[in-house]
Amino acid sequence: MALTWKQHGDGAHVAPEAIVLPEERLSWLRTIGFGAQHVVAMFGATFLVPLLTGFSPTATLFFSGLGTLLFLLITGNRLPSYLGSSFAFIAPILAATAGGDPENPDLGRASFGILAIGVLMAIVGLIVHRFGSGWINALMPPVVMGAIVALIGFNLAPAVKNNWNATELSGWVALITITAVLLITVLFRGLLGRLSIVLGMVVGYISAAFMGEVDFSKVGDAPWLGLPSFHAVGNPFADPTLWGLLPAFLPVVLVLIAENVGHVKSVGLMVKRDLDPLTGRALLADGVSTMLAGFGGGSGTTTYGENIGVMAATRVYSTAAYWVAGLFAVLLSFSPKVGEIIFSVPSGVLAGVTVALYGLIGLIGVKIWIDNGVDFSKPINQFSAAVPLIVGIADFTVQIGSVLFNGIALGTIAAVAVYHLMRGLAKVRGGEVQVADPVVTGATRD
């Protein structure tokens, strides 16, 4: 694979009906500008995950940028994509670190779960590359996939409440933040409108600073240059209890599959190409990226819908811009001051953003149902969605020995089991079984 790009036209202009294809680029100065734009688009969602989980922002940025570069290499430089932090990991990470010191959580435990998911994703990618994705569609038809994505978002609702009530002024800061997000979304078009989350956080942060809710002490002491703050992954042979965390992480694989498949299909439609043969490579690349993040203390990664939005708005699909974005992210990770600025964001700002974001994750599950024409007049679809949603939202837990099944794990099991059990019994009885064609769409951070 040669890292070369043909210049599009004069390198300065894109005709109204034209697009810049993945193998093309504009002038290098403009390409650098588009790369920087992709960094801005991914930044808000990517640094929210370490803020909410306690992971290092600099390590997360490092593996985000490195993962993007590996993704481009593994997909043969044919699939433009940015790999940022996946929100699907938030709930299992919080579950893995629960019960410890809140000021100094044992992040190595959560990193083991992330590493395991990366390995499993890479295996799934190899299988899909060899045999296709039909077996995924059979296991998780749209009604099941939509329920799983929805319950992952709604399961996080209690975390929003805790941040909202963290201090006396947190609720007011949260209200200012969410109001800013909504106003920016409605009042601005194009890139500014797409950046409503990060811009709303800026408004909330400034408001919190005036209220005395921001602690700047560590920001001033942090150097401008330094290594990313890595941490080691937990050793499951020294601590066998780590194996018990895996059920909480396993449902994340299903979400990452949905995000990657949706990304490949979306980009293929926009560039008018059949990119489905790259699906296995995309899953493998995301798996390798997540595996590396688990080793070094970064959050698990996924393809980003935010950057698809930037491509749709600009009509520039050049992979060269993503190489620039990945390198930018890696360079930013070598600034401890950037990490401390991110960590200084107060709980009220997080509450204001996540009250919308977690709900939006849940609604993406609903969108999967709508896009695939799931018929909820059918009892099989009704129960396959209703049961797992309540299990996930209520966060039921079951512990068998050292293995803990949380609400997301149990809800996922319920979604798959209820659907296939009812469908199997309906076939035996000879009743009608109606299922929509499985076309998974969406991403969990939009």
Side-chain angles (χ1 to χ4, degrees):
M1 179 194 66
L3 293 181
T4 57
W5 295 268
K6 176 185 176 183
Q7 181 169 288
H8 178 89
D10 62 1
H13 302 93
V14 182
E17 301 302 321
I19 62 173
V20 179
L21 293 168
E23 66 273 16
E24 297 179 327
R25 64 166 177 84
L26 296 175
S27 69
W28 277 114
L29 184 62
R30 287 173 173 78
T31 297
I32 291 171
F34 280 109
Q37 187 170 249
H38 280 300
V39 172
V40 173
M42 70 83 186
F43 202 77
T46 291
F47 79 67
L48 261 179
V49 175
L51 266 177
L52 296 167
T53 60
F55 272 61
S56 162
T58 51
T60 297
L61 271 176
F62 176 82
F63 287 108
S64 169
L66 179 63
T68 299
L69 302 181
L70 287 172
F71 185 96
L72 294 169
L73 284 172
I74 293 173
T75 57
N77 209 32
R78 290 180 286 165
L79 183 60
S81 178
Y82 190 90
L83 293 191
S85 302
S86 170
F87 277 28
F89 282 97
I90 294 175
I93 289 174
L94 295 179
T97 57
D101 181 0
E103 298 297 323
N104 188 29
D106 186 358
L107 299 176
R109 291 173 59 82
S111 289
F112 173 70
I114 294 171
L115 170 63
I117 294 306
V119 172
L120 187 54
M121 272 288 290
I123 293 172
V124 170
L126 291 172
I127 294 173
V128 170
H129 184 66
R130 177 65 179 84
F131 299 104
S133 59
W135 62 276
I136 296 175
N137 297 331
L139 176 66
M140 297 179 298
V143 65
V144 173
M145 180 58 72
I148 293 170
V149 174
L151 68 86
I152 284 178
F154 297 145
N155 174 268
L156 290 165
V160 179
K161 183 179 179 182
N162 293 337
N163 279 326
W164 196 289
N165 297 326
T167 69
E168 191 174 330
L169 294 175
S170 289
W172 289 107
V173 174
L175 190 59
I176 292 171
T177 303
I178 186 59
T179 301
V181 170
L182 299 177
L183 290 176
I184 292 169
T185 302
V186 172
L187 297 178
F188 294 95
R189 298 182 181 275
L191 183 61
L192 286 179
R194 295 183 185 278
L195 296 177
S196 59
I197 295 293
V198 68
L199 294 178
M201 289 187 71
V202 171
V203 173
Y205 188 93
I206 294 171
S207 302
F210 279 111
M211 296 180 189
E213 289 282 288
V214 182
D215 181 5
F216 293 105
S217 58
K218 293 184 179 180
V219 176
D221 296 335
W224 282 103
L225 293 176
L227 289 174
S229 181
F230 301 118
H231 69 249
V233 64
N235 183 350
F237 302 104
D239 181 7
T241 64
L242 291 178
W243 297 106
L245 300 174
L246 294 185
F249 281 86
L250 287 177
V252 175
V253 173
L254 308 182
V255 179
L256 296 183
I257 290 171
E259 290 176 334
N260 278 274
V261 171
H263 181 95
V264 172
K265 289 183 179 297
S266 297
V267 175
L269 288 172
M270 290 189 289
V271 299
K272 298 179 176 60
R273 289 178 177 173
D274 178 17
L275 297 178
D276 286 357
L278 293 176
T279 300
R281 287 175 175 246
L283 293 168
L284 171 63
D286 195 6
V288 171
S289 173
T290 296
M291 189 165 47
L292 290 175
F295 266 123
S299 181
T301 60
T302 189
T303 51
Y304 257 25
E306 290 87 337
N307 297 87
I308 290 182
V310 171
M311 290 191 291
T314 61
R315 304 190 307 283
V316 176
Y317 301 92
S318 171
T319 56
Y322 283 98
W323 280 95
V324 172
L327 292 171
F328 264 141
V330 170
L331 290 175
L332 276 175
S333 72
F334 284 87
S335 177
K337 193 174 287 291
V338 170
E340 291 301 336
I341 290 172
I342 293 171
F343 261 146
S344 69
V345 175
S347 56
V349 174
L350 295 179
V353 171
T354 55
V355 73
L357 264 178
Y358 293 164
L360 289 173
I361 295 172
L363 288 180
I364 288 170
V366 177
K367 186 176 184 295
I368 290 175
W369 294 333
I370 295 171
D371 289 349
N372 291 279
V374 175
D375 184 357
F376 279 108
S377 69
K378 305 295 181 182
I380 291 178
N381 290 337
Q382 292 171 2
F383 285 103
S384 297
V387 173
L389 280 179
I390 292 301
V391 171
I393 293 169
D395 200 20
F396 291 174
T397 58
V398 172
Q399 186 156 357
I400 303 173
S402 62
V403 179
L404 177 66
F405 294 84
N406 68 351
I408 292 178
L410 292 173
T412 299
I413 293 170
V416 175
V418 169
Y419 174 80
H420 288 287
L421 177 62
M422 292 186 70
R423 188 165 184 259
L425 291 174
K427 280 186 173 181
V428 171
R429 190 197 63 182
E432 180 186 5
V433 179
Q434 182 172 338
V435 183
D437 291 334
V439 182
V440 180
T441 60
T444 62
R445 302 143 328 277
D446 291 352

